[in-house]
Amino acid sequence: MSTTAATEIRNVETLVAGEWRGATQGADLEVRDPADLREVVARVPALTATDIDSAYAAAIRGARAWGRTSGLDRGAVLLRTASLLRDRSAPIVADLVREMGKTRAEASIELTKAADFFEYYGGLARSATGYSLNDGRPGTTTSVRYEPVGVVLAITPWNDPLLTPARKLAPALACGNAVLLKPATDTPLVSVRLARALVDAGLPAEVLSVLTGRGADISAALLDDPRLAAVTFTGSNEVGAAIHASVSGRNLRVQTELGGKNATVVLADADLTLAADTIVAAAFAQAGQRCTATSRVIVDRRVSAGLLQLLRTRVRALALGPGGEPGTAMGPVINERHRVAVLDHVNAAVAAGATVAEGGTAPDGERLAHGCFVRPTILTGVTADMDIWREEVFGPVLALLEVDGFDEAVAAVNDSEFGLAAALFTRDLSHANLFLDRADTGQVAVNLPTSGWDVHHPFGGFKASGSPFKEQGTEALHFYSRVKTCAVRFAW
Ligand code: NAD
């Protein structure tokens, strides 16, 4: 039975233009629990274009003050934020599970990694912000300075609602920018908690606004504003393309992290147990809703029956359930629309000739009937011309393709419009190194998952998976700073 009536629905305030604002009646967003859609977890303000205007005005003031703050002081704020996130892990993890549906273990990993981002960039903020160059003119020194770009708009998806904002906010703030964060409509709660931690850690409130609202209501106001200096977006290819179109011709910095169709190759000499354990973890964690999730397995025909057997055993053991319940290995997908879309992909694959080896449907029974659950699914008999092989599903669906040998496997990896991540299982050093050379993806791994890159590892895809600017590591700092070349003649 639903407990909505018995549970008080939280009204959450968000940070806009330096102040905390609640929702006015009728202008709010309901956050629902994907494990039980009858549960309204909270209400957050649905902001309008007028709110966006005031957020920009504050962000301009905030950027001016924060950009002049010493890197050491900026770093100290980020380091305190990391420690506040860890101190507050219990309520943040609880919200993450309720609004997104992932398991408590997955949410705890996300929190730790979000804190790591603030710690890493908090340390980097102390470092030198430029370098000197020789100058052929007598009595002259020339130097290069990195400056903040101004107001950065960060638009984030629902699959990692804390991690993705942290991945963008930490380097943007370390470099001295102000940020307007537009979280996904389904998952605004932990973004607001992140803003609380930053302000409590000493971030001047005008430096950050969290613009909760419907994309359709506020995206034009966000993107058309002349005060915007840079857009960093993580999400679908469709919205990424719309963002590029709407800011084109304005000389803005645009970073887009988009979809993936990540392949793992298993060669005949691979450790099949290691491969199966790794593939199942990379394919079904977060119900497959990770941009780096493994969604294609390319297996040498000689070992495909053995690998399939190992995969099936492991997938059958994955306990499906609400993310907050102990023992759950895989939670629901984000919402009902997405559940239907994932199952439509599976049904279309079957109609095209694929075979369901595991899963393929919603679970039976009353226990999970009100949530957005899809059973972990393995499809065999897949061919490279099928949509299931080419289109991103972003759900718990793994497709298997058989090939003959290394060259055919690499060709299958690269025969995709996407180029985010790829992995190879082999014991052969030559194939391992050739794979690093030949895989046309931004992230490549050998005997490791397609997912799971650390905060200091540059991250981002090639081809349709993303724009040239990488996130994470020191690479991220290039996007969030502009380069000024300065010359001083001190003797004449
Ligand atoms: P989405 O593109 O639908 O939404 C992303 C964000 O954009 C949300 O905040 C949404 O409200 C906002 N938005 C929607 N329409 C907009 C518009 N017209 N203008 C401006 N903003 C708008 O993506 P999603 O469904 O939230 O996330 C899933 C997608 O994200 C998948 O395609 C996945 O591959 C991708 N993703 C990529 C990475 C990566 O690093 N490459 C990481 C995670 C997710």
PDB file of all heavy atoms in Angstrom, residues 155-159 164 167 182-185 215 219 223 233-237 239 242-243 257-260 291 392 394 420 459 465 471, ligand 1:
ATOM      1  N   ILE A 155      24.253  21.961 -17.332  1.00  0.00           N
ATOM      2  CA  ILE A 155      22.964  21.258 -17.474  1.00  0.00           C
ATOM      3  C   ILE A 155      23.246  19.769 -17.312  1.00  0.00           C
ATOM      4  O   ILE A 155      24.098  19.208 -18.015  1.00  0.00           O
ATOM      5  CB  ILE A 155      22.327  21.530 -18.850  1.00  0.00           C
ATOM      6  CG1 ILE A 155      22.174  23.035 -19.074  1.00  0.00           C
ATOM      7  CG2 ILE A 155      20.969  20.841 -18.966  1.00  0.00           C
ATOM      8  CD1 ILE A 155      21.575  23.420 -20.430  1.00  0.00           C
ATOM      9  N   THR A 156      22.544  19.124 -16.381  1.00  0.00           N
ATOM     10  CA  THR A 156      22.933  17.752 -16.005  1.00  0.00           C
ATOM     11  C   THR A 156      21.755  16.772 -16.095  1.00  0.00           C
ATOM     12  O   THR A 156      20.602  17.175 -15.949  1.00  0.00           O
ATOM     13  CB  THR A 156      23.521  17.751 -14.574  1.00  0.00           C
ATOM     14  OG1 THR A 156      22.590  18.345 -13.680  1.00  0.00           O
ATOM     15  CG2 THR A 156      24.824  18.511 -14.528  1.00  0.00           C
ATOM     16  N   PRO A 157      22.058  15.489 -16.313  1.00  0.00           N
ATOM     17  CA  PRO A 157      21.006  14.473 -16.439  1.00  0.00           C
ATOM     18  C   PRO A 157      20.677  13.826 -15.090  1.00  0.00           C
ATOM     19  O   PRO A 157      21.281  14.155 -14.077  1.00  0.00           O
ATOM     20  CB  PRO A 157      21.650  13.455 -17.382  1.00  0.00           C
ATOM     21  CG  PRO A 157      23.100  13.489 -17.020  1.00  0.00           C
ATOM     22  CD  PRO A 157      23.396  14.901 -16.544  1.00  0.00           C
ATOM     23  N   TRP A 158      19.773  12.848 -15.131  1.00  0.00           N
ATOM     24  CA  TRP A 158      19.256  12.268 -13.885  1.00  0.00           C
ATOM     25  C   TRP A 158      20.028  11.038 -13.417  1.00  0.00           C
ATOM     26  O   TRP A 158      19.787  10.555 -12.312  1.00  0.00           O
ATOM     27  CB  TRP A 158      17.781  11.868 -14.067  1.00  0.00           C
ATOM     28  CG  TRP A 158      17.501  11.194 -15.379  1.00  0.00           C
ATOM     29  CD1 TRP A 158      16.950  11.784 -16.489  1.00  0.00           C
ATOM     30  CD2 TRP A 158      17.779   9.841 -15.753  1.00  0.00           C
ATOM     31  NE1 TRP A 158      16.883  10.869 -17.527  1.00  0.00           N
ATOM     32  CE2 TRP A 158      17.379   9.673 -17.090  1.00  0.00           C
ATOM     33  CE3 TRP A 158      18.325   8.744 -15.076  1.00  0.00           C
ATOM     34  CZ2 TRP A 158      17.515   8.456 -17.778  1.00  0.00           C
ATOM     35  CZ3 TRP A 158      18.467   7.540 -15.754  1.00  0.00           C
ATOM     36  CH2 TRP A 158      18.054   7.410 -17.097  1.00  0.00           C
ATOM     37  N   ASN A 159      20.939  10.502 -14.220  1.00  0.00           N
ATOM     38  CA  ASN A 159      21.479   9.184 -13.841  1.00  0.00           C
ATOM     39  C   ASN A 159      22.499   9.248 -12.710  1.00  0.00           C
ATOM     40  O   ASN A 159      22.610   8.305 -11.935  1.00  0.00           O
ATOM     41  CB  ASN A 159      22.046   8.464 -15.067  1.00  0.00           C
ATOM     42  CG  ASN A 159      23.199   9.191 -15.684  1.00  0.00           C
ATOM     43  OD1 ASN A 159      23.155  10.414 -15.819  1.00  0.00           O
ATOM     44  ND2 ASN A 159      24.239   8.481 -16.043  1.00  0.00           N
ATOM     45  N   THR A 164      27.480  14.136 -11.441  1.00  0.00           N
ATOM     46  CA  THR A 164      27.666  14.963 -12.643  1.00  0.00           C
ATOM     47  C   THR A 164      27.744  16.450 -12.285  1.00  0.00           C
ATOM     48  O   THR A 164      28.645  17.147 -12.763  1.00  0.00           O
ATOM     49  CB  THR A 164      26.580  14.670 -13.689  1.00  0.00           C
ATOM     50  OG1 THR A 164      26.506  13.256 -13.859  1.00  0.00           O
ATOM     51  CG2 THR A 164      26.912  15.308 -15.019  1.00  0.00           C
ATOM     52  N   ARG A 167      31.203  16.934 -10.882  1.00  0.00           N
ATOM     53  CA  ARG A 167      32.235  16.861 -11.922  1.00  0.00           C
ATOM     54  C   ARG A 167      32.379  18.200 -12.647  1.00  0.00           C
ATOM     55  O   ARG A 167      33.448  18.542 -13.135  1.00  0.00           O
ATOM     56  CB  ARG A 167      31.840  15.779 -12.922  1.00  0.00           C
ATOM     57  CG  ARG A 167      32.801  15.595 -14.056  1.00  0.00           C
ATOM     58  CD  ARG A 167      32.240  14.652 -15.101  1.00  0.00           C
ATOM     59  NE  ARG A 167      32.324  13.274 -14.685  1.00  0.00           N
ATOM     60  CZ  ARG A 167      31.358  12.360 -14.877  1.00  0.00           C
ATOM     61  NH1 ARG A 167      30.248  12.682 -15.468  1.00  0.00           N
ATOM     62  NH2 ARG A 167      31.523  11.128 -14.478  1.00  0.00           N
ATOM     63  N   LYS A 182      21.522  23.656 -13.832  1.00  0.00           N
ATOM     64  CA  LYS A 182      20.162  23.217 -14.161  1.00  0.00           C
ATOM     65  C   LYS A 182      20.139  21.694 -14.000  1.00  0.00           C
ATOM     66  O   LYS A 182      20.588  20.952 -14.871  1.00  0.00           O
ATOM     67  CB  LYS A 182      19.833  23.646 -15.595  1.00  0.00           C
ATOM     68  CG  LYS A 182      18.786  22.825 -16.321  1.00  0.00           C
ATOM     69  CD  LYS A 182      17.391  23.032 -15.795  1.00  0.00           C
ATOM     70  CE  LYS A 182      16.417  22.112 -16.504  1.00  0.00           C
ATOM     71  NZ  LYS A 182      16.455  20.723 -15.974  1.00  0.00           N
ATOM     72  N   PRO A 183      19.626  21.202 -12.858  1.00  0.00           N
ATOM     73  CA  PRO A 183      19.591  19.747 -12.673  1.00  0.00           C
ATOM     74  C   PRO A 183      18.442  19.128 -13.461  1.00  0.00           C
ATOM     75  O   PRO A 183      17.513  19.832 -13.867  1.00  0.00           O
ATOM     76  CB  PRO A 183      19.361  19.588 -11.169  1.00  0.00           C
ATOM     77  CG  PRO A 183      18.644  20.828 -10.753  1.00  0.00           C
ATOM     78  CD  PRO A 183      19.041  21.919 -11.717  1.00  0.00           C
ATOM     79  N   ALA A 184      18.485  17.809 -13.645  1.00  0.00           N
ATOM     80  CA  ALA A 184      17.406  17.129 -14.363  1.00  0.00           C
ATOM     81  C   ALA A 184      16.104  17.265 -13.580  1.00  0.00           C
ATOM     82  O   ALA A 184      16.093  17.284 -12.348  1.00  0.00           O
ATOM     83  CB  ALA A 184      17.756  15.659 -14.546  1.00  0.00           C
ATOM     84  N   THR A 185      15.007  17.331 -14.327  1.00  0.00           N
ATOM     85  CA  THR A 185      13.701  17.548 -13.707  1.00  0.00           C
ATOM     86  C   THR A 185      13.346  16.422 -12.728  1.00  0.00           C
ATOM     87  O   THR A 185      12.731  16.667 -11.691  1.00  0.00           O
ATOM     88  CB  THR A 185      12.637  17.612 -14.824  1.00  0.00           C
ATOM     89  OG1 THR A 185      13.151  18.436 -15.864  1.00  0.00           O
ATOM     90  CG2 THR A 185      11.340  18.199 -14.335  1.00  0.00           C
ATOM     91  N   GLY A 215      12.670  21.862 -18.385  1.00  0.00           N
ATOM     92  CA  GLY A 215      13.518  22.313 -19.493  1.00  0.00           C
ATOM     93  C   GLY A 215      12.753  23.206 -20.448  1.00  0.00           C
ATOM     94  O   GLY A 215      13.237  24.267 -20.872  1.00  0.00           O
ATOM     95  N   SER A 219      14.675  26.690 -20.607  1.00  0.00           N
ATOM     96  CA  SER A 219      15.906  26.496 -21.379  1.00  0.00           C
ATOM     97  C   SER A 219      16.200  27.684 -22.299  1.00  0.00           C
ATOM     98  O   SER A 219      17.359  28.072 -22.449  1.00  0.00           O
ATOM     99  CB  SER A 219      15.898  25.174 -22.134  1.00  0.00           C
ATOM    100  OG  SER A 219      14.820  25.126 -23.001  1.00  0.00           O
ATOM    101  N   LEU A 223      19.702  29.737 -22.186  1.00  0.00           N
ATOM    102  CA  LEU A 223      20.664  29.663 -23.290  1.00  0.00           C
ATOM    103  C   LEU A 223      20.772  30.961 -24.088  1.00  0.00           C
ATOM    104  O   LEU A 223      21.809  31.232 -24.690  1.00  0.00           O
ATOM    105  CB  LEU A 223      20.289  28.510 -24.227  1.00  0.00           C
ATOM    106  CG  LEU A 223      20.513  27.127 -23.623  1.00  0.00           C
ATOM    107  CD1 LEU A 223      19.755  26.061 -24.397  1.00  0.00           C
ATOM    108  CD2 LEU A 223      21.995  26.793 -23.581  1.00  0.00           C
ATOM    109  N   PHE A 233      27.266  20.565 -20.779  1.00  0.00           N
ATOM    110  CA  PHE A 233      26.038  19.769 -20.810  1.00  0.00           C
ATOM    111  C   PHE A 233      26.383  18.290 -20.788  1.00  0.00           C
ATOM    112  O   PHE A 233      27.280  17.844 -21.515  1.00  0.00           O
ATOM    113  CB  PHE A 233      25.264  20.091 -22.097  1.00  0.00           C
ATOM    114  CG  PHE A 233      24.112  19.147 -22.368  1.00  0.00           C
ATOM    115  CD1 PHE A 233      22.904  19.283 -21.705  1.00  0.00           C
ATOM    116  CD2 PHE A 233      24.247  18.109 -23.292  1.00  0.00           C
ATOM    117  CE1 PHE A 233      21.847  18.413 -21.944  1.00  0.00           C
ATOM    118  CE2 PHE A 233      23.195  17.235 -23.542  1.00  0.00           C
ATOM    119  CZ  PHE A 233      21.993  17.387 -22.867  1.00  0.00           C
ATOM    120  N   THR A 234      25.672  17.537 -19.971  1.00  0.00           N
ATOM    121  CA  THR A 234      25.713  16.078 -20.053  1.00  0.00           C
ATOM    122  C   THR A 234      24.292  15.603 -20.241  1.00  0.00           C
ATOM    123  O   THR A 234      23.396  15.991 -19.485  1.00  0.00           O
ATOM    124  CB  THR A 234      26.319  15.470 -18.778  1.00  0.00           C
ATOM    125  OG1 THR A 234      27.659  15.937 -18.644  1.00  0.00           O
ATOM    126  CG2 THR A 234      26.348  13.945 -18.863  1.00  0.00           C
ATOM    127  N   GLY A 235      24.080  14.778 -21.264  1.00  0.00           N
ATOM    128  CA  GLY A 235      22.729  14.293 -21.514  1.00  0.00           C
ATOM    129  C   GLY A 235      22.629  13.656 -22.885  1.00  0.00           C
ATOM    130  O   GLY A 235      23.615  13.154 -23.434  1.00  0.00           O
ATOM    131  N   SER A 236      21.436  13.709 -23.446  1.00  0.00           N
ATOM    132  CA  SER A 236      21.170  12.984 -24.692  1.00  0.00           C
ATOM    133  C   SER A 236      21.722  13.730 -25.908  1.00  0.00           C
ATOM    134  O   SER A 236      21.918  14.950 -25.877  1.00  0.00           O
ATOM    135  CB  SER A 236      19.661  12.806 -24.854  1.00  0.00           C
ATOM    136  OG  SER A 236      19.056  14.071 -24.968  1.00  0.00           O
ATOM    137  N   ASN A 237      21.910  12.986 -26.981  1.00  0.00           N
ATOM    138  CA  ASN A 237      22.391  13.598 -28.228  1.00  0.00           C
ATOM    139  C   ASN A 237      21.394  14.603 -28.774  1.00  0.00           C
ATOM    140  O   ASN A 237      21.791  15.627 -29.336  1.00  0.00           O
ATOM    141  CB  ASN A 237      22.671  12.507 -29.265  1.00  0.00           C
ATOM    142  CG  ASN A 237      23.965  11.799 -28.940  1.00  0.00           C
ATOM    143  OD1 ASN A 237      24.073  11.163 -27.914  1.00  0.00           O
ATOM    144  ND2 ASN A 237      24.957  11.944 -29.791  1.00  0.00           N
ATOM    145  N   VAL A 239      19.215  16.601 -27.131  1.00  0.00           N
ATOM    146  CA  VAL A 239      19.272  17.892 -26.429  1.00  0.00           C
ATOM    147  C   VAL A 239      20.640  18.546 -26.663  1.00  0.00           C
ATOM    148  O   VAL A 239      20.726  19.764 -26.845  1.00  0.00           O
ATOM    149  CB  VAL A 239      18.955  17.717 -24.924  1.00  0.00           C
ATOM    150  CG1 VAL A 239      19.138  19.030 -24.184  1.00  0.00           C
ATOM    151  CG2 VAL A 239      17.533  17.195 -24.745  1.00  0.00           C
ATOM    152  N   ALA A 242      20.446  20.360 -29.834  1.00  0.00           N
ATOM    153  CA  ALA A 242      19.607  21.566 -29.706  1.00  0.00           C
ATOM    154  C   ALA A 242      20.398  22.685 -29.025  1.00  0.00           C
ATOM    155  O   ALA A 242      20.283  23.864 -29.404  1.00  0.00           O
ATOM    156  CB  ALA A 242      18.338  21.238 -28.917  1.00  0.00           C
ATOM    157  N   ILE A 243      21.229  22.320 -28.046  1.00  0.00           N
ATOM    158  CA  ILE A 243      22.028  23.342 -27.348  1.00  0.00           C
ATOM    159  C   ILE A 243      23.065  23.940 -28.305  1.00  0.00           C
ATOM    160  O   ILE A 243      23.225  25.164 -28.392  1.00  0.00           O
ATOM    161  CB  ILE A 243      22.687  22.740 -26.093  1.00  0.00           C
ATOM    162  CG1 ILE A 243      21.607  22.500 -25.038  1.00  0.00           C
ATOM    163  CG2 ILE A 243      23.792  23.642 -25.549  1.00  0.00           C
ATOM    164  CD1 ILE A 243      22.064  21.723 -23.830  1.00  0.00           C
ATOM    165  N   GLU A 257      28.744  16.194 -23.229  1.00  0.00           N
ATOM    166  CA  GLU A 257      29.022  14.776 -22.945  1.00  0.00           C
ATOM    167  C   GLU A 257      27.727  14.031 -23.244  1.00  0.00           C
ATOM    168  O   GLU A 257      26.730  14.221 -22.540  1.00  0.00           O
ATOM    169  CB  GLU A 257      29.408  14.578 -21.479  1.00  0.00           C
ATOM    170  CG  GLU A 257      30.731  15.198 -21.097  1.00  0.00           C
ATOM    171  CD  GLU A 257      31.934  14.512 -21.714  1.00  0.00           C
ATOM    172  OE1 GLU A 257      31.770  13.453 -22.363  1.00  0.00           O
ATOM    173  OE2 GLU A 257      33.039  15.053 -21.577  1.00  0.00           O
ATOM    174  N   LEU A 258      27.744  13.190 -24.276  1.00  0.00           N
ATOM    175  CA  LEU A 258      26.479  12.664 -24.801  1.00  0.00           C
ATOM    176  C   LEU A 258      26.394  11.148 -24.645  1.00  0.00           C
ATOM    177  O   LEU A 258      26.937  10.577 -23.725  1.00  0.00           O
ATOM    178  CB  LEU A 258      26.329  13.126 -26.252  1.00  0.00           C
ATOM    179  CG  LEU A 258      26.472  14.654 -26.424  1.00  0.00           C
ATOM    180  CD1 LEU A 258      26.559  15.038 -27.885  1.00  0.00           C
ATOM    181  CD2 LEU A 258      25.353  15.398 -25.731  1.00  0.00           C
ATOM    182  N   GLY A 259      25.722  10.515 -25.571  1.00  0.00           N
ATOM    183  CA  GLY A 259      25.406   9.094 -25.409  1.00  0.00           C
ATOM    184  C   GLY A 259      26.579   8.168 -25.681  1.00  0.00           C
ATOM    185  O   GLY A 259      27.650   8.586 -26.114  1.00  0.00           O
ATOM    186  N   GLY A 260      26.344   6.889 -25.420  1.00  0.00           N
ATOM    187  CA  GLY A 260      27.361   5.871 -25.685  1.00  0.00           C
ATOM    188  C   GLY A 260      26.715   4.568 -26.113  1.00  0.00           C
ATOM    189  O   GLY A 260      25.509   4.359 -25.932  1.00  0.00           O
ATOM    190  N   CYS A 291      26.434   6.367 -18.699  1.00  0.00           N
ATOM    191  CA  CYS A 291      26.872   6.625 -20.079  1.00  0.00           C
ATOM    192  C   CYS A 291      27.970   5.648 -20.479  1.00  0.00           C
ATOM    193  O   CYS A 291      28.112   5.320 -21.656  1.00  0.00           O
ATOM    194  CB  CYS A 291      27.335   8.055 -20.231  1.00  0.00           C
ATOM    195  SG  CYS A 291      28.606   8.486 -19.060  1.00  0.00           S
ATOM    196  N   GLU A 392      21.435   3.814 -28.536  1.00  0.00           N
ATOM    197  CA  GLU A 392      21.605   3.770 -27.094  1.00  0.00           C
ATOM    198  C   GLU A 392      20.277   3.398 -26.423  1.00  0.00           C
ATOM    199  O   GLU A 392      19.239   3.961 -26.752  1.00  0.00           O
ATOM    200  CB  GLU A 392      22.050   5.145 -26.589  1.00  0.00           C
ATOM    201  CG  GLU A 392      22.374   5.142 -25.115  1.00  0.00           C
ATOM    202  CD  GLU A 392      22.743   6.515 -24.590  1.00  0.00           C
ATOM    203  OE1 GLU A 392      22.034   7.490 -24.890  1.00  0.00           O
ATOM    204  OE2 GLU A 392      23.748   6.605 -23.859  1.00  0.00           O
ATOM    205  N   PHE A 394      20.267   2.826 -22.767  1.00  0.00           N
ATOM    206  CA  PHE A 394      20.407   3.449 -21.444  1.00  0.00           C
ATOM    207  C   PHE A 394      19.539   2.731 -20.411  1.00  0.00           C
ATOM    208  O   PHE A 394      18.830   3.337 -19.617  1.00  0.00           O
ATOM    209  CB  PHE A 394      20.063   4.938 -21.508  1.00  0.00           C
ATOM    210  CG  PHE A 394      20.904   5.778 -20.579  1.00  0.00           C
ATOM    211  CD1 PHE A 394      22.276   5.838 -20.726  1.00  0.00           C
ATOM    212  CD2 PHE A 394      20.340   6.510 -19.552  1.00  0.00           C
ATOM    213  CE1 PHE A 394      23.062   6.600 -19.871  1.00  0.00           C
ATOM    214  CE2 PHE A 394      21.115   7.280 -18.685  1.00  0.00           C
ATOM    215  CZ  PHE A 394      22.471   7.321 -18.854  1.00  0.00           C
ATOM    216  N   LEU A 420      32.396   6.495 -26.921  1.00  0.00           N
ATOM    217  CA  LEU A 420      32.672   6.882 -25.533  1.00  0.00           C
ATOM    218  C   LEU A 420      33.693   5.944 -24.869  1.00  0.00           C
ATOM    219  O   LEU A 420      34.783   6.367 -24.526  1.00  0.00           O
ATOM    220  CB  LEU A 420      31.359   6.932 -24.733  1.00  0.00           C
ATOM    221  CG  LEU A 420      31.473   7.445 -23.299  1.00  0.00           C
ATOM    222  CD1 LEU A 420      32.228   8.769 -23.222  1.00  0.00           C
ATOM    223  CD2 LEU A 420      30.101   7.620 -22.674  1.00  0.00           C
ATOM    224  N   PHE A 459      38.138  12.514 -18.924  1.00  0.00           N
ATOM    225  CA  PHE A 459      36.961  11.731 -19.280  1.00  0.00           C
ATOM    226  C   PHE A 459      36.169  12.418 -20.384  1.00  0.00           C
ATOM    227  O   PHE A 459      35.875  13.605 -20.309  1.00  0.00           O
ATOM    228  CB  PHE A 459      36.059  11.558 -18.047  1.00  0.00           C
ATOM    229  CG  PHE A 459      34.807  10.793 -18.346  1.00  0.00           C
ATOM    230  CD1 PHE A 459      34.830   9.408 -18.378  1.00  0.00           C
ATOM    231  CD2 PHE A 459      33.631  11.445 -18.652  1.00  0.00           C
ATOM    232  CE1 PHE A 459      33.695   8.691 -18.699  1.00  0.00           C
ATOM    233  CE2 PHE A 459      32.488  10.743 -18.971  1.00  0.00           C
ATOM    234  CZ  PHE A 459      32.524   9.363 -18.996  1.00  0.00           C
ATOM    235  N   SER A 465      29.728  10.951 -29.264  1.00  0.00           N
ATOM    236  CA  SER A 465      29.629  10.881 -27.799  1.00  0.00           C
ATOM    237  C   SER A 465      30.051  12.156 -27.088  1.00  0.00           C
ATOM    238  O   SER A 465      29.863  12.253 -25.862  1.00  0.00           O
ATOM    239  CB  SER A 465      30.459   9.710 -27.261  1.00  0.00           C
ATOM    240  OG  SER A 465      29.849   8.488 -27.603  1.00  0.00           O
ATOM    241  N   GLU A 471      36.364  16.269 -19.715  1.00  0.00           N
ATOM    242  CA  GLU A 471      36.087  16.602 -18.322  1.00  0.00           C
ATOM    243  C   GLU A 471      37.111  15.876 -17.442  1.00  0.00           C
ATOM    244  O   GLU A 471      37.896  15.054 -17.911  1.00  0.00           O
ATOM    245  CB  GLU A 471      34.671  16.159 -17.938  1.00  0.00           C
ATOM    246  CG  GLU A 471      33.598  16.880 -18.735  1.00  0.00           C
ATOM    247  CD  GLU A 471      32.248  16.848 -18.052  1.00  0.00           C
ATOM    248  OE1 GLU A 471      31.552  15.833 -18.193  1.00  0.00           O
ATOM    249  OE2 GLU A 471      31.900  17.835 -17.379  1.00  0.00           O
TER     250      GLU A 471
HETATM  251  P1  NAD B   1      18.375  14.733 -21.508  1.00  0.00           P
HETATM  252  O1  NAD B   1      19.207  15.203 -22.636  1.00  0.00           O
HETATM  253  O2  NAD B   1      16.954  14.419 -21.762  1.00  0.00           O
HETATM  254  O3  NAD B   1      18.369  15.824 -20.334  1.00  0.00           O
HETATM  255  C1  NAD B   1      19.585  16.329 -19.786  1.00  0.00           C
HETATM  256  C2  NAD B   1      19.325  17.691 -19.173  1.00  0.00           C
HETATM  257  O4  NAD B   1      18.959  18.622 -20.197  1.00  0.00           O
HETATM  258  C3  NAD B   1      18.193  17.737 -18.137  1.00  0.00           C
HETATM  259  O5  NAD B   1      18.568  18.617 -17.099  1.00  0.00           O
HETATM  260  C4  NAD B   1      17.041  18.327 -18.943  1.00  0.00           C
HETATM  261  O6  NAD B   1      16.081  18.976 -18.122  1.00  0.00           O
HETATM  262  C5  NAD B   1      17.771  19.335 -19.808  1.00  0.00           C
HETATM  263  N1  NAD B   1      17.059  19.721 -21.039  1.00  0.00           N
HETATM  264  C6  NAD B   1      16.083  19.041 -21.690  1.00  0.00           C
HETATM  265  N2  NAD B   1      15.725  19.712 -22.807  1.00  0.00           N
HETATM  266  C7  NAD B   1      16.493  20.827 -22.863  1.00  0.00           C
HETATM  267  C8  NAD B   1      16.636  21.895 -23.801  1.00  0.00           C
HETATM  268  N3  NAD B   1      15.896  21.967 -24.898  1.00  0.00           N
HETATM  269  N4  NAD B   1      17.559  22.843 -23.547  1.00  0.00           N
HETATM  270  C9  NAD B   1      18.326  22.788 -22.456  1.00  0.00           C
HETATM  271  N5  NAD B   1      18.259  21.796 -21.533  1.00  0.00           N
HETATM  272  C10 NAD B   1      17.352  20.832 -21.735  1.00  0.00           C
HETATM  273  O7  NAD B   1      19.168  13.479 -20.898  1.00  0.00           O
HETATM  274  P2  NAD B   1      18.721  12.523 -19.715  1.00  0.00           P
HETATM  275  O8  NAD B   1      17.588  11.678 -20.194  1.00  0.00           O
HETATM  276  O9  NAD B   1      18.548  13.336 -18.471  1.00  0.00           O
HETATM  277  O10 NAD B   1      20.037  11.619 -19.524  1.00  0.00           O
HETATM  278  C11 NAD B   1      20.309  10.471 -20.254  1.00  0.00           C
HETATM  279  C12 NAD B   1      21.287  10.776 -21.364  1.00  0.00           C
HETATM  280  O11 NAD B   1      22.475  11.359 -20.833  1.00  0.00           O
HETATM  281  C13 NAD B   1      21.756   9.534 -22.106  1.00  0.00           C
HETATM  282  O12 NAD B   1      21.759   9.774 -23.487  1.00  0.00           O
HETATM  283  C14 NAD B   1      23.182   9.344 -21.615  1.00  0.00           C
HETATM  284  O13 NAD B   1      24.030   8.656 -22.488  1.00  0.00           O
HETATM  285  C15 NAD B   1      23.621  10.736 -21.397  1.00  0.00           C
HETATM  286  N6  NAD B   1      24.745  10.777 -20.465  1.00  0.00           N
HETATM  287  C16 NAD B   1      25.998  11.027 -20.962  1.00  0.00           C
HETATM  288  C17 NAD B   1      27.096  11.046 -20.108  1.00  0.00           C
HETATM  289  C18 NAD B   1      28.494  11.321 -20.629  1.00  0.00           C
HETATM  290  O14 NAD B   1      29.344  11.708 -19.841  1.00  0.00           O
HETATM  291  N7  NAD B   1      28.782  11.124 -21.901  1.00  0.00           N
HETATM  292  C19 NAD B   1      26.904  10.827 -18.738  1.00  0.00           C
HETATM  293  C20 NAD B   1      25.624  10.565 -18.281  1.00  0.00           C
HETATM  294  C21 NAD B   1      24.542  10.562 -19.155  1.00  0.00           C
END
